[in-house]
Amino acid sequence: MQQAKRFNRDSFLSWEDRILADYAVHASCSKGRRHPEQDHPLRTAFQRDRDRVIHSRAFRRLEYKTQVFVTGANDHFRTRLTHTMEVAGIARTLSRCLGLNEDLAETIALAHDLGHPPFGHCGERALNRLLANDGGFSHNEQAIKIVDELEIKYPDFRGLNLTFEVRAGLIKHRDKATSLDGITLPQQPILEAQVADIADDLTYLCHDLDDGINAGLLTLTELNAVELWQRAGQHGHALPPDNACFASFRVRNLIDLLVADALNESRNRIQQAGIETPIAAESYSSPLIGFSPEIATAAMDLRKFLFRRMYEHPAVDDDNQRAVRWMCDLYSFFLRYPQETGQLTQQRMEEVGVKRAVADYIASMTDRYAIEQYRKFID
Ligand code: MG
């Protein structure tokens, strides 16, 4: 009879040493946590971080936050949560096929949108305007703040106390002065973070297209003029246009095409640059994970097409704009009546000021909670 396997953290660490590429970040080389903790007997530091993200309140709230359509508009459209899960899946495939650390890439992908306020990018722009003279608002910075400060569940520290690698991986936009815990960050994020980033771009292009078709906003006739749509039709098995699965299968082919292109291009770049360590990847002059130039241009065209025909379409934009007006009204209301916010927010007002504490409170809201609060206090 076969003996039951006994794997644990030590086996996973040695497995990483045997299997992962030299340019991958091995969990045994993590720079650690802000508050030192004992290693877990079963999981590596990154596996543990992934679980911490999934068990966070901010992660659960993603279910009721807008991706493109205000949540509840249709049960089949993506929410921030299903978007995040699709990103994580693609990040895992890409990192596994590149010999990168799948646990790390997956964790960064799962956490990448934790900082999104309600009502998607419209909500983010509105908060940024409201805080224009007080440091602005960006969902990337907010994600770090959530995992470092705003999640409260451990007795000895605030936040989730994630590893340095996951936290740094959430900082996408960098200049020479960008730092974390006083350490200046290299020009490029680690490859696992670059993988999560391209997985995000790839995923939203494909699923927004899918939702746009299902919402009846995008017609197959106009899509025929979009280069990536045509290319996807020549990629793999094609269905006749009258087949019930025609559009969703074409989107599936597009995902496959983009993943294959990103893998191929990234492998070439890593090889040509002679990258052999994570540090070499981080200090390289340009990103090593990317699409080929032709596909990158075609992806940009698809993005512009989606903006014109979908994101700015009245069926999408009107709902979001109305929701954003409600959000701005809520912001003014809570500035005037701070006692109507939560207890934690009121405590934070003393530390970070009323405006920032209220903005963090509103940013944490789901679409439906924000609407509920609007109806309760203002409408
Ligand atoms: Mg995203």
Side-chain angles (χ1 to χ4, degrees), residues 67 80 83 87 112-113 116 200 204:
Q67 178 61 31
R80 236 350 115 182
H83 159 72
V87 175
H112 88 281
D113 268 351
H116 252 290
D200 185 20
Y204 85 73

Side-chain angles (χ1 to χ4, degrees), residues 53 58-59 62 67 79-89 91 104-117 121 124 138-144 146-147 162 166-167 169-173 192-193 195-204 207:
V53 169
F59 186 78
L62 293 174
Q67 178 61 31
T79 66
R80 236 350 115 182
L81 180 65
T82 63
H83 159 72
T84 295
M85 294 176 77
E86 291 185 28
V87 175
L104 178 53
E106 182 185 12
T107 307
I108 296 170
L110 289 171
H112 88 281
D113 268 351
L114 288 181
H116 252 290
H121 288 283
E124 179 173 26
S138 104
H139 79 270
N140 284 316
E141 287 170 25
Q142 196 69 10
I144 288 278
I146 287 171
V147 300
L162 302 180
V166 171
R167 293 164 60 231
L170 295 174
I171 304 177
K172 285 209 298 203
H173 307 291
E192 284 81 356
V195 157
D197 194 28
I198 202 168
D200 185 20
D201 289 348
L202 193 163
T203 305
Y204 85 73
H207 68 41

Side-chain angles (χ1 to χ4, degrees), residues 65 86 112 157 215 282 361:
K65 291 197 177 201
E86 291 185 28
H112 88 281
F157 46 78
E282 287 183 276
Y361 180 57

Side-chain angles (χ1 to χ4, degrees), residues 177-303:
T178 309
S179 67
L180 183 64
D181 302 343
I183 299 170
T184 307
L185 294 178
Q187 219 167 344
Q188 307 298 333
I190 48 175
L191 294 176
E192 284 81 356
Q194 294 186 34
V195 157
D197 194 28
I198 202 168
D200 185 20
D201 289 348
L202 193 163
T203 305
Y204 85 73
L205 283 175
C206 295
H207 68 41
D208 288 356
L209 198 55
D210 194 40
D211 283 351
I213 296 166
N214 288 326
L217 299 181
L218 308 175
T219 65
L220 296 181
T221 318
E222 64 180 338
L223 279 166
N224 283 332
V226 175
E227 187 190 339
L228 273 184
W229 187 254
Q230 289 169 8
R231 280 181 182 248
Q234 293 143 17
H235 181 83
H237 175 61
L239 294 177
D242 58 352
N243 188 297
C245 303
F246 176 78
S248 51
F249 196 72
R250 179 75 70 98
V251 172
R252 173 253 176 226
N253 281 351
L254 179 58
I255 298 173
D256 200 58
L257 180 158
L258 292 174
V259 168
D261 180 81
L263 268 180
N264 191 36
E265 174 72 15
S266 306
R267 280 191 190 119
N268 287 342
R269 288 190 200 172
I270 291 168
Q271 200 165 339
Q272 277 161 17
I275 301 299
E276 287 177 353
T277 61
I279 295 171
E282 287 183 276
S283 30
Y284 199 66
S285 55
S286 54
L288 290 155
I289 305 295
F291 294 121
S292 64
E294 316 85 79
I295 294 295
T297 310
M300 190 56 82
D301 289 344
L302 172 57
R303 188 165 181 265

